[in-house]
Amino acid sequence: ASLATRQAGLPERDIQATRRAGWLHDLGKTGLSAAIMEKPDALTEREWEKVRLHPYHTERILAHSTALGQASNLAALHHEALDGSGYYRRLSGATLPPAARLIAVANKYCALLENRAYRHAATPDEAAAIINREVRAGRLDGEAARCVLAAAGHDSAPRGQVAGLSEREIDVLRLLAQGYLTRQIAERLVISPKTADHHIQHIYNKIGVSTRAGATLFAMEHNLLESPSE
């Protein structure tokens, strides 16, 4: 995580905090029973609720140290996702700082390489493939994934999508920036208007804007107005 943070060009303060958060992020699991941690079957909803709270308990433990303040904040975010499906705060999009996005990817990658009671460990290549699928699904940040995979030794780690946007969301953003209405975007991409609107709201959330003008400016700044084939 700290190597990836350095690769991402973040300041030394963030690199140090990410390293510490990486070491300490799972302290909250001390509150989970062995019956939950070693259960080979699906967890009950009550058991899952206890698991989802372990980042909170990590944050509370680390909050007792003033020297670990930033690390405490980062450690609490190691299971958050860009689309708001993570835990425990269910933050999303622009509310997740770059260092938090990096540690979320690093946590996912490292966890995949470890044996669990309910599955075998993945190989590094399998883990990288899963990470990239999570990027395409809009749950993990693409640039954070690229940095983490490169830090883990994946020399051919592909550059992720901008701001964690999936390929379909970039298609929608491109049409949105070109002036197409929601109904027209749906027709062009052969999806329902409701699905197109859903994509637009996710895009706004991920890139931190609330208007078409803001989305258009973002697309221009990141050279997204033309498709790769163009």
Side-chain angles (χ1 to χ4, degrees):
S2 62
L3 285 173
T5 307
R6 188 178 300 279
Q7 277 207 342
L10 297 185
E12 187 62 35
R13 182 169 179 266
D14 284 349
I15 295 170
Q16 184 183 68
T18 304
R19 182 184 301 115
R20 290 174 174 174
W23 285 333
L24 303 170
H25 69 285
D26 269 345
L27 277 177
K29 284 187 175 179
T30 56
L32 296 174
S33 69
I36 292 178
M37 293 295 294
E38 298 175 9
K39 187 175 181 178
D41 304 315
L43 299 178
T44 65
E45 182 56 35
R46 184 176 181 182
E47 290 169 336
W48 251 119
E49 185 59 28
K50 291 180 179 179
V51 171
R52 284 192 288 262
L53 282 174
H54 83 264
Y56 164 78
H57 292 300
T58 294
E59 183 178 34
R60 296 306 307 148
I61 292 169
L62 296 179
H64 290 284
S65 168
T66 55
L68 293 173
Q70 190 182 8
S72 170
N73 294 333
L74 280 178
L77 302 177
H78 71 275
H79 276 295
E80 299 293 344
L82 285 181
D83 64 355
S85 63
Y87 54 89
Y88 74 97
R89 290 179 178 170
R90 299 185 69 84
L91 299 180
S92 61
T95 59
L96 289 172
R101 299 178 184 213
L102 285 157
I103 201 166
V105 176
N107 174 69
K108 178 76 173 179
Y109 178 80
C110 291
L112 288 166
L113 299 181
E114 298 171 355
N115 282 311
R116 293 287 191 264
Y118 53 88
R119 62 159 173 80
H120 294 297
T123 67
D125 285 345
E126 290 170 342
I130 292 171
I131 291 297
N132 284 318
R133 284 204 298 271
E134 292 289 286
V135 170
R136 290 192 293 272
R139 288 185 285 271
L140 295 178
D141 181 83
E143 182 63 11
R146 186 187 70 82
C147 291
V148 169
L149 293 179
H154 294 272
D155 295 332
S156 60
R159 181 171 294 276
Q161 301 290 9
V162 177
L165 296 173
S166 67
E167 293 178 10
R168 175 45 60 92
E169 287 169 340
I170 287 181
D171 289 337
V172 172
L173 174 58
R174 183 178 297 116
L175 294 173
L176 187 71
Q178 290 173 356
Y180 287 89
L181 301 177
T182 302
R183 175 181 53 79
Q184 295 171 320
I185 293 172
E187 291 173 353
R188 288 288 299 268
L189 299 178
V190 196
I191 57 178
S192 71
K194 183 176 181 180
T195 298
D197 183 66
H198 181 74
H199 283 311
I200 291 170
Q201 298 311 313
H202 269 265
I203 290 166
Y204 283 175
N205 186 42
K206 288 182 180 181
I207 66 179
V209 304
S210 58
T211 64
R212 178 189 292 266
T216 301
L217 181 61
F218 180 91
M220 293 172 63
E221 290 175 342
H222 292 84
N223 300 313
L224 298 177
L225 291 181
E226 294 185 353
S227 66
S229 61
E230 296 170 328

